[in-house]
Amino acid sequence: MNKNLRKAVIAGNWKMNKTRPEAKALLEAIIPLVANAKDKIEVIACVPFTNLETAVAVTAGSNIKVGAENVHFEKSGAYTGEISADMLSEVGAEYVVVGHSERRQYFGETDETVNKRTKAALAGGLKPIVCVGELLAEREANITEEVISRQIKLDLADISAEDVKKAIIAYEPVWAIGTGKTATADQAQEVCAFIRATLAKLYDNATADAVTIQYGGSMNAKNCAELLSKPDVDGGLIGGASLKAEDFNVIVQAAVEG
Ligand code: PEP
């Protein structure tokens, strides 16, 4: 397995934070800091729906790509409060987070709906960042691999090898998200390697080698270098630390260093 086959991807997940003026100010602070990462790694800001247009305008001409934090699986229709892939593409989003544990935990997201949303994102020309991860109780019961394998199989069901290469998988242990508890670099590597081996079984080695697998869960300026140095950790999905330009930049620079 060869890490050089893949571009590292650092994506911020802003969650439900930042008004439009705040989003503009944060992106304007990040843009010059990460300009040197151009052509080396992918830098993405996944922002609330209301910030998408602002983010696309502010990042135009920079090396920051914009993503959304969720997408509905139908093209259009009577789904009050939902946003379709076509709407996201039209506003200029290129990526979308799918199946984040907060959506699974608070909004009834299941592997079935994650699969439908992933397919809808791909059909609408978006690159999905598909989140998987075990609960603390599942890790303690030694069923992490079982849980991850099930999520990968169900979330990617009926998605072709060609399409899966456009997706990013984010390994986000639920017990590490927003808690300040990080998986050790070895724990992150172990599960990211397991995800790649699962992809190799479901597809083939070349496909598994091509898919970017991120770690997410309290990644910050202090722990990022060790996590990102691991052979199967191709980047990070960053929550809290993506809201501070300097901290986000430290993580971007760590990914540039490899
Ligand atoms: C996330 O929101 O995907 C995340 C990893 O959050 P945090 O970095 O704050 O744990």
Side-chain angles (χ1 to χ4, degrees), residues 11-15 97 100-102 131 170-173 176-181 215-220 236-242:
N13 172 27
W14 289 11
K15 312 194 192 207
V97 179
H100 192 279
S101 65
E102 287 152 13
C131 301
Y171 167 53
E172 298 213 307
I177 298 176
T179 58
K181 278 187 205 152
Y215 168 78
S218 299
M219 194 189 277
N220 59 38
L237 183 57
I238 325 295
S242 71

PDB file of all heavy atoms in Angstrom, residues 11-15 97 100-102 131 170-173 176-181 215-220 236-242, ligand 1:
ATOM      1  N   ALA A  11      -9.789  18.575   5.874  1.00  0.00           N
ATOM      2  CA  ALA A  11     -11.106  19.201   5.732  1.00  0.00           C
ATOM      3  C   ALA A  11     -11.584  19.709   7.088  1.00  0.00           C
ATOM      4  O   ALA A  11     -11.544  18.975   8.078  1.00  0.00           O
ATOM      5  CB  ALA A  11     -12.111  18.186   5.173  1.00  0.00           C
ATOM      6  N   GLY A  12     -12.020  20.942   7.113  1.00  0.00           N
ATOM      7  CA  GLY A  12     -12.640  21.481   8.323  1.00  0.00           C
ATOM      8  C   GLY A  12     -14.122  21.154   8.302  1.00  0.00           C
ATOM      9  O   GLY A  12     -14.760  21.222   7.250  1.00  0.00           O
ATOM     10  N   ASN A  13     -14.650  20.754   9.427  1.00  0.00           N
ATOM     11  CA  ASN A  13     -16.098  20.575   9.572  1.00  0.00           C
ATOM     12  C   ASN A  13     -16.542  21.606  10.606  1.00  0.00           C
ATOM     13  O   ASN A  13     -16.331  21.412  11.797  1.00  0.00           O
ATOM     14  CB  ASN A  13     -16.414  19.151  10.049  1.00  0.00           C
ATOM     15  CG  ASN A  13     -17.893  18.997  10.395  1.00  0.00           C
ATOM     16  OD1 ASN A  13     -18.743  19.705   9.845  1.00  0.00           O
ATOM     17  ND2 ASN A  13     -18.212  18.082  11.304  1.00  0.00           N
ATOM     18  N   TRP A  14     -17.132  22.672  10.112  1.00  0.00           N
ATOM     19  CA  TRP A  14     -17.462  23.791  11.011  1.00  0.00           C
ATOM     20  C   TRP A  14     -18.666  23.507  11.900  1.00  0.00           C
ATOM     21  O   TRP A  14     -18.948  24.260  12.824  1.00  0.00           O
ATOM     22  CB  TRP A  14     -17.729  25.049  10.182  1.00  0.00           C
ATOM     23  CG  TRP A  14     -16.507  25.655   9.545  1.00  0.00           C
ATOM     24  CD1 TRP A  14     -15.251  25.103   9.461  1.00  0.00           C
ATOM     25  CD2 TRP A  14     -16.431  26.933   8.915  1.00  0.00           C
ATOM     26  NE1 TRP A  14     -14.411  25.963   8.804  1.00  0.00           N
ATOM     27  CE2 TRP A  14     -15.109  27.100   8.460  1.00  0.00           C
ATOM     28  CE3 TRP A  14     -17.355  27.954   8.686  1.00  0.00           C
ATOM     29  CZ2 TRP A  14     -14.680  28.248   7.792  1.00  0.00           C
ATOM     30  CZ3 TRP A  14     -16.935  29.100   8.010  1.00  0.00           C
ATOM     31  CH2 TRP A  14     -15.610  29.244   7.576  1.00  0.00           C
ATOM     32  N   LYS A  15     -19.423  22.466  11.601  1.00  0.00           N
ATOM     33  CA  LYS A  15     -20.645  22.142  12.346  1.00  0.00           C
ATOM     34  C   LYS A  15     -21.601  23.352  12.332  1.00  0.00           C
ATOM     35  O   LYS A  15     -21.620  24.094  11.350  1.00  0.00           O
ATOM     36  CB  LYS A  15     -20.315  21.698  13.764  1.00  0.00           C
ATOM     37  CG  LYS A  15     -19.191  20.642  13.800  1.00  0.00           C
ATOM     38  CD  LYS A  15     -19.088  19.961  15.119  1.00  0.00           C
ATOM     39  CE  LYS A  15     -17.795  19.152  15.186  1.00  0.00           C
ATOM     40  NZ  LYS A  15     -17.859  18.030  16.061  1.00  0.00           N
ATOM     41  N   VAL A  97     -20.043  16.314   3.565  1.00  0.00           N
ATOM     42  CA  VAL A  97     -19.905  15.338   4.651  1.00  0.00           C
ATOM     43  C   VAL A  97     -21.190  14.505   4.697  1.00  0.00           C
ATOM     44  O   VAL A  97     -22.289  15.064   4.644  1.00  0.00           O
ATOM     45  CB  VAL A  97     -19.696  16.044   6.017  1.00  0.00           C
ATOM     46  CG1 VAL A  97     -19.586  15.015   7.145  1.00  0.00           C
ATOM     47  CG2 VAL A  97     -18.450  16.935   5.975  1.00  0.00           C
ATOM     48  N   HIS A 100     -22.058  11.878   9.285  1.00  0.00           N
ATOM     49  CA  HIS A 100     -21.313  12.289  10.483  1.00  0.00           C
ATOM     50  C   HIS A 100     -21.984  11.685  11.717  1.00  0.00           C
ATOM     51  O   HIS A 100     -23.217  11.557  11.763  1.00  0.00           O
ATOM     52  CB  HIS A 100     -21.280  13.817  10.579  1.00  0.00           C
ATOM     53  CG  HIS A 100     -20.310  14.307  11.604  1.00  0.00           C
ATOM     54  ND1 HIS A 100     -20.619  14.345  12.944  1.00  0.00           N
ATOM     55  CD2 HIS A 100     -19.035  14.746  11.490  1.00  0.00           C
ATOM     56  CE1 HIS A 100     -19.569  14.793  13.610  1.00  0.00           C
ATOM     57  NE2 HIS A 100     -18.592  15.045  12.754  1.00  0.00           N
ATOM     58  N   SER A 101     -21.203  11.352  12.728  1.00  0.00           N
ATOM     59  CA  SER A 101     -21.791  10.674  13.899  1.00  0.00           C
ATOM     60  C   SER A 101     -22.834  11.552  14.586  1.00  0.00           C
ATOM     61  O   SER A 101     -23.776  11.037  15.203  1.00  0.00           O
ATOM     62  CB  SER A 101     -20.706  10.273  14.890  1.00  0.00           C
ATOM     63  OG  SER A 101     -20.096  11.413  15.422  1.00  0.00           O
ATOM     64  N   GLU A 102     -22.692  12.888  14.475  1.00  0.00           N
ATOM     65  CA  GLU A 102     -23.715  13.754  15.085  1.00  0.00           C
ATOM     66  C   GLU A 102     -25.042  13.616  14.337  1.00  0.00           C
ATOM     67  O   GLU A 102     -26.113  13.705  14.941  1.00  0.00           O
ATOM     68  CB  GLU A 102     -23.221  15.209  15.106  1.00  0.00           C
ATOM     69  CG  GLU A 102     -22.121  15.398  16.159  1.00  0.00           C
ATOM     70  CD  GLU A 102     -21.139  16.508  15.864  1.00  0.00           C
ATOM     71  OE1 GLU A 102     -21.396  17.335  14.973  1.00  0.00           O
ATOM     72  OE2 GLU A 102     -20.083  16.533  16.529  1.00  0.00           O
ATOM     73  N   CYS A 131     -18.457   9.341   6.734  1.00  0.00           N
ATOM     74  CA  CYS A 131     -17.929   9.149   8.097  1.00  0.00           C
ATOM     75  C   CYS A 131     -18.358   7.801   8.676  1.00  0.00           C
ATOM     76  O   CYS A 131     -19.531   7.441   8.614  1.00  0.00           O
ATOM     77  CB  CYS A 131     -18.456  10.248   9.021  1.00  0.00           C
ATOM     78  SG  CYS A 131     -18.024  11.896   8.474  1.00  0.00           S
ATOM     79  N   ALA A 170     -13.888   8.991   6.166  1.00  0.00           N
ATOM     80  CA  ALA A 170     -13.346   9.579   7.394  1.00  0.00           C
ATOM     81  C   ALA A 170     -13.580   8.601   8.535  1.00  0.00           C
ATOM     82  O   ALA A 170     -14.740   8.285   8.857  1.00  0.00           O
ATOM     83  CB  ALA A 170     -14.015  10.907   7.687  1.00  0.00           C
ATOM     84  N   TYR A 171     -12.477   8.106   9.105  1.00  0.00           N
ATOM     85  CA  TYR A 171     -12.611   7.261  10.298  1.00  0.00           C
ATOM     86  C   TYR A 171     -12.682   8.177  11.510  1.00  0.00           C
ATOM     87  O   TYR A 171     -11.709   8.860  11.850  1.00  0.00           O
ATOM     88  CB  TYR A 171     -11.429   6.294  10.438  1.00  0.00           C
ATOM     89  CG  TYR A 171     -11.408   5.668  11.823  1.00  0.00           C
ATOM     90  CD1 TYR A 171     -12.542   5.023  12.324  1.00  0.00           C
ATOM     91  CD2 TYR A 171     -10.287   5.758  12.651  1.00  0.00           C
ATOM     92  CE1 TYR A 171     -12.569   4.491  13.603  1.00  0.00           C
ATOM     93  CE2 TYR A 171     -10.289   5.228  13.939  1.00  0.00           C
ATOM     94  CZ  TYR A 171     -11.439   4.598  14.408  1.00  0.00           C
ATOM     95  OH  TYR A 171     -11.468   4.078  15.682  1.00  0.00           O
ATOM     96  N   GLU A 172     -13.851   8.210  12.139  1.00  0.00           N
ATOM     97  CA  GLU A 172     -14.067   9.095  13.275  1.00  0.00           C
ATOM     98  C   GLU A 172     -14.623   8.295  14.458  1.00  0.00           C
ATOM     99  O   GLU A 172     -15.848   8.094  14.546  1.00  0.00           O
ATOM    100  CB  GLU A 172     -15.055  10.193  12.895  1.00  0.00           C
ATOM    101  CG  GLU A 172     -14.565  11.084  11.777  1.00  0.00           C
ATOM    102  CD  GLU A 172     -15.071  12.502  11.935  1.00  0.00           C
ATOM    103  OE1 GLU A 172     -16.296  12.687  12.081  1.00  0.00           O
ATOM    104  OE2 GLU A 172     -14.262  13.415  11.937  1.00  0.00           O
ATOM    105  N   PRO A 173     -13.740   7.811  15.332  1.00  0.00           N
ATOM    106  CA  PRO A 173     -14.256   7.117  16.512  1.00  0.00           C
ATOM    107  C   PRO A 173     -15.159   8.066  17.294  1.00  0.00           C
ATOM    108  O   PRO A 173     -14.752   9.191  17.617  1.00  0.00           O
ATOM    109  CB  PRO A 173     -12.991   6.759  17.295  1.00  0.00           C
ATOM    110  CG  PRO A 173     -11.885   7.575  16.722  1.00  0.00           C
ATOM    111  CD  PRO A 173     -12.282   7.967  15.347  1.00  0.00           C
ATOM    112  N   ALA A 176     -14.144  10.025  20.291  1.00  0.00           N
ATOM    113  CA  ALA A 176     -13.076  11.024  20.162  1.00  0.00           C
ATOM    114  C   ALA A 176     -13.566  12.342  19.565  1.00  0.00           C
ATOM    115  O   ALA A 176     -12.803  13.300  19.472  1.00  0.00           O
ATOM    116  CB  ALA A 176     -11.945  10.461  19.293  1.00  0.00           C
ATOM    117  N   ILE A 177     -14.836  12.395  19.174  1.00  0.00           N
ATOM    118  CA  ILE A 177     -15.321  13.605  18.493  1.00  0.00           C
ATOM    119  C   ILE A 177     -15.791  14.648  19.490  1.00  0.00           C
ATOM    120  O   ILE A 177     -16.726  14.407  20.264  1.00  0.00           O
ATOM    121  CB  ILE A 177     -16.450  13.262  17.498  1.00  0.00           C
ATOM    122  CG1 ILE A 177     -15.885  12.317  16.433  1.00  0.00           C
ATOM    123  CG2 ILE A 177     -17.005  14.522  16.850  1.00  0.00           C
ATOM    124  CD1 ILE A 177     -16.916  11.839  15.465  1.00  0.00           C
ATOM    125  N   GLY A 178     -15.110  15.782  19.470  1.00  0.00           N
ATOM    126  CA  GLY A 178     -15.496  16.900  20.324  1.00  0.00           C
ATOM    127  C   GLY A 178     -15.279  16.644  21.798  1.00  0.00           C
ATOM    128  O   GLY A 178     -15.775  17.382  22.648  1.00  0.00           O
ATOM    129  N   THR A 179     -14.550  15.581  22.132  1.00  0.00           N
ATOM    130  CA  THR A 179     -14.382  15.211  23.536  1.00  0.00           C
ATOM    131  C   THR A 179     -12.998  15.573  24.053  1.00  0.00           C
ATOM    132  O   THR A 179     -12.748  15.518  25.256  1.00  0.00           O
ATOM    133  CB  THR A 179     -14.527  13.681  23.701  1.00  0.00           C
ATOM    134  OG1 THR A 179     -13.544  13.050  22.856  1.00  0.00           O
ATOM    135  CG2 THR A 179     -15.902  13.201  23.316  1.00  0.00           C
ATOM    136  N   GLY A 180     -12.076  15.898  23.130  1.00  0.00           N
ATOM    137  CA  GLY A 180     -10.697  16.139  23.539  1.00  0.00           C
ATOM    138  C   GLY A 180      -9.908  14.840  23.664  1.00  0.00           C
ATOM    139  O   GLY A 180      -8.701  14.843  23.828  1.00  0.00           O
ATOM    140  N   LYS A 181     -10.616  13.688  23.555  1.00  0.00           N
ATOM    141  CA  LYS A 181      -9.924  12.381  23.600  1.00  0.00           C
ATOM    142  C   LYS A 181      -9.574  12.002  22.172  1.00  0.00           C
ATOM    143  O   LYS A 181     -10.464  11.863  21.330  1.00  0.00           O
ATOM    144  CB  LYS A 181     -10.869  11.294  24.116  1.00  0.00           C
ATOM    145  CG  LYS A 181     -10.997  11.228  25.598  1.00  0.00           C
ATOM    146  CD  LYS A 181     -11.818   9.989  25.967  1.00  0.00           C
ATOM    147  CE  LYS A 181     -12.471  10.207  27.303  1.00  0.00           C
ATOM    148  NZ  LYS A 181     -13.700   9.471  27.469  1.00  0.00           N
ATOM    149  N   TYR A 215      -8.461  10.559   9.285  1.00  0.00           N
ATOM    150  CA  TYR A 215      -8.812  10.357  10.692  1.00  0.00           C
ATOM    151  C   TYR A 215      -9.503  11.633  11.190  1.00  0.00           C
ATOM    152  O   TYR A 215      -9.101  12.750  10.815  1.00  0.00           O
ATOM    153  CB  TYR A 215      -7.562  10.091  11.565  1.00  0.00           C
ATOM    154  CG  TYR A 215      -7.915  10.184  13.035  1.00  0.00           C
ATOM    155  CD1 TYR A 215      -8.576   9.135  13.665  1.00  0.00           C
ATOM    156  CD2 TYR A 215      -7.687  11.359  13.762  1.00  0.00           C
ATOM    157  CE1 TYR A 215      -8.989   9.249  14.991  1.00  0.00           C
ATOM    158  CE2 TYR A 215      -8.091  11.481  15.086  1.00  0.00           C
ATOM    159  CZ  TYR A 215      -8.739  10.413  15.687  1.00  0.00           C
ATOM    160  OH  TYR A 215      -9.157  10.523  16.985  1.00  0.00           O
ATOM    161  N   GLY A 216     -10.498  11.490  12.017  1.00  0.00           N
ATOM    162  CA  GLY A 216     -11.125  12.646  12.643  1.00  0.00           C
ATOM    163  C   GLY A 216     -11.502  12.322  14.074  1.00  0.00           C
ATOM    164  O   GLY A 216     -11.947  11.206  14.379  1.00  0.00           O
ATOM    165  N   GLY A 217     -11.328  13.275  14.958  1.00  0.00           N
ATOM    166  CA  GLY A 217     -11.666  13.076  16.376  1.00  0.00           C
ATOM    167  C   GLY A 217     -10.640  13.807  17.210  1.00  0.00           C
ATOM    168  O   GLY A 217      -9.562  13.276  17.472  1.00  0.00           O
ATOM    169  N   SER A 218     -10.977  15.059  17.554  1.00  0.00           N
ATOM    170  CA  SER A 218     -10.096  15.883  18.398  1.00  0.00           C
ATOM    171  C   SER A 218      -8.681  16.000  17.836  1.00  0.00           C
ATOM    172  O   SER A 218      -7.721  16.101  18.591  1.00  0.00           O
ATOM    173  CB  SER A 218     -10.076  15.350  19.835  1.00  0.00           C
ATOM    174  OG  SER A 218     -11.383  15.408  20.392  1.00  0.00           O
ATOM    175  N   MET A 219      -8.554  15.980  16.486  1.00  0.00           N
ATOM    176  CA  MET A 219      -7.230  16.255  15.918  1.00  0.00           C
ATOM    177  C   MET A 219      -6.945  17.741  16.135  1.00  0.00           C
ATOM    178  O   MET A 219      -7.839  18.578  15.962  1.00  0.00           O
ATOM    179  CB  MET A 219      -7.160  15.923  14.429  1.00  0.00           C
ATOM    180  CG  MET A 219      -5.715  15.887  13.916  1.00  0.00           C
ATOM    181  SD  MET A 219      -5.558  15.742  12.128  1.00  0.00           S
ATOM    182  CE  MET A 219      -5.721  14.005  11.865  1.00  0.00           C
ATOM    183  N   ASN A 220      -5.731  18.041  16.568  1.00  0.00           N
ATOM    184  CA  ASN A 220      -5.416  19.442  16.862  1.00  0.00           C
ATOM    185  C   ASN A 220      -3.968  19.744  16.515  1.00  0.00           C
ATOM    186  O   ASN A 220      -3.241  18.868  16.015  1.00  0.00           O
ATOM    187  CB  ASN A 220      -5.746  19.763  18.330  1.00  0.00           C
ATOM    188  CG  ASN A 220      -4.969  18.884  19.298  1.00  0.00           C
ATOM    189  OD1 ASN A 220      -3.792  18.580  19.063  1.00  0.00           O
ATOM    190  ND2 ASN A 220      -5.605  18.453  20.379  1.00  0.00           N
ATOM    191  N   GLY A 236      -7.135  14.574   7.539  1.00  0.00           N
ATOM    192  CA  GLY A 236      -7.952  14.696   8.737  1.00  0.00           C
ATOM    193  C   GLY A 236      -9.257  15.419   8.464  1.00  0.00           C
ATOM    194  O   GLY A 236      -9.346  16.278   7.572  1.00  0.00           O
ATOM    195  N   LEU A 237     -10.283  15.029   9.212  1.00  0.00           N
ATOM    196  CA  LEU A 237     -11.540  15.788   9.255  1.00  0.00           C
ATOM    197  C   LEU A 237     -11.520  16.463  10.615  1.00  0.00           C
ATOM    198  O   LEU A 237     -11.468  15.796  11.654  1.00  0.00           O
ATOM    199  CB  LEU A 237     -12.746  14.847   9.097  1.00  0.00           C
ATOM    200  CG  LEU A 237     -14.122  15.509   9.058  1.00  0.00           C
ATOM    201  CD1 LEU A 237     -14.221  16.544   7.943  1.00  0.00           C
ATOM    202  CD2 LEU A 237     -15.220  14.445   8.839  1.00  0.00           C
ATOM    203  N   ILE A 238     -11.538  17.789  10.586  1.00  0.00           N
ATOM    204  CA  ILE A 238     -11.235  18.564  11.785  1.00  0.00           C
ATOM    205  C   ILE A 238     -12.458  19.363  12.211  1.00  0.00           C
ATOM    206  O   ILE A 238     -12.932  20.190  11.429  1.00  0.00           O
ATOM    207  CB  ILE A 238     -10.088  19.587  11.502  1.00  0.00           C
ATOM    208  CG1 ILE A 238      -9.027  19.041  10.520  1.00  0.00           C
ATOM    209  CG2 ILE A 238      -9.487  20.119  12.785  1.00  0.00           C
ATOM    210  CD1 ILE A 238      -8.244  17.878  11.032  1.00  0.00           C
ATOM    211  N   GLY A 239     -12.918  19.170  13.420  1.00  0.00           N
ATOM    212  CA  GLY A 239     -14.038  19.952  13.927  1.00  0.00           C
ATOM    213  C   GLY A 239     -13.549  21.207  14.633  1.00  0.00           C
ATOM    214  O   GLY A 239     -13.232  22.220  14.011  1.00  0.00           O
ATOM    215  N   GLY A 240     -13.444  21.139  15.953  1.00  0.00           N
ATOM    216  CA  GLY A 240     -13.105  22.310  16.769  1.00  0.00           C
ATOM    217  C   GLY A 240     -11.906  23.098  16.268  1.00  0.00           C
ATOM    218  O   GLY A 240     -11.954  24.343  16.179  1.00  0.00           O
ATOM    219  N   ALA A 241     -10.827  22.414  15.920  1.00  0.00           N
ATOM    220  CA  ALA A 241      -9.597  23.115  15.523  1.00  0.00           C
ATOM    221  C   ALA A 241      -9.711  23.783  14.149  1.00  0.00           C
ATOM    222  O   ALA A 241      -8.847  24.586  13.788  1.00  0.00           O
ATOM    223  CB  ALA A 241      -8.410  22.147  15.546  1.00  0.00           C
ATOM    224  N   SER A 242     -10.778  23.487  13.406  1.00  0.00           N
ATOM    225  CA  SER A 242     -10.920  24.144  12.095  1.00  0.00           C
ATOM    226  C   SER A 242     -11.522  25.541  12.249  1.00  0.00           C
ATOM    227  O   SER A 242     -11.602  26.303  11.288  1.00  0.00           O
ATOM    228  CB  SER A 242     -11.798  23.308  11.158  1.00  0.00           C
ATOM    229  OG  SER A 242     -13.153  23.330  11.564  1.00  0.00           O
TER     230      SER A 242
HETATM  231  C1  PEP B   1     -15.764  16.342  13.482  1.00  0.00           C
HETATM  232  O1  PEP B   1     -16.646  17.155  13.656  1.00  0.00           O
HETATM  233  O2  PEP B   1     -15.783  15.605  12.494  1.00  0.00           O
HETATM  234  C2  PEP B   1     -14.678  16.253  14.463  1.00  0.00           C
HETATM  235  C3  PEP B   1     -13.725  15.374  14.288  1.00  0.00           C
HETATM  236  O3  PEP B   1     -14.745  17.120  15.528  1.00  0.00           O
HETATM  237  P1  PEP B   1     -13.570  17.438  16.582  1.00  0.00           P
HETATM  238  O4  PEP B   1     -12.309  17.634  15.767  1.00  0.00           O
HETATM  239  O5  PEP B   1     -14.000  18.666  17.278  1.00  0.00           O
HETATM  240  O6  PEP B   1     -13.444  16.242  17.462  1.00  0.00           O
END
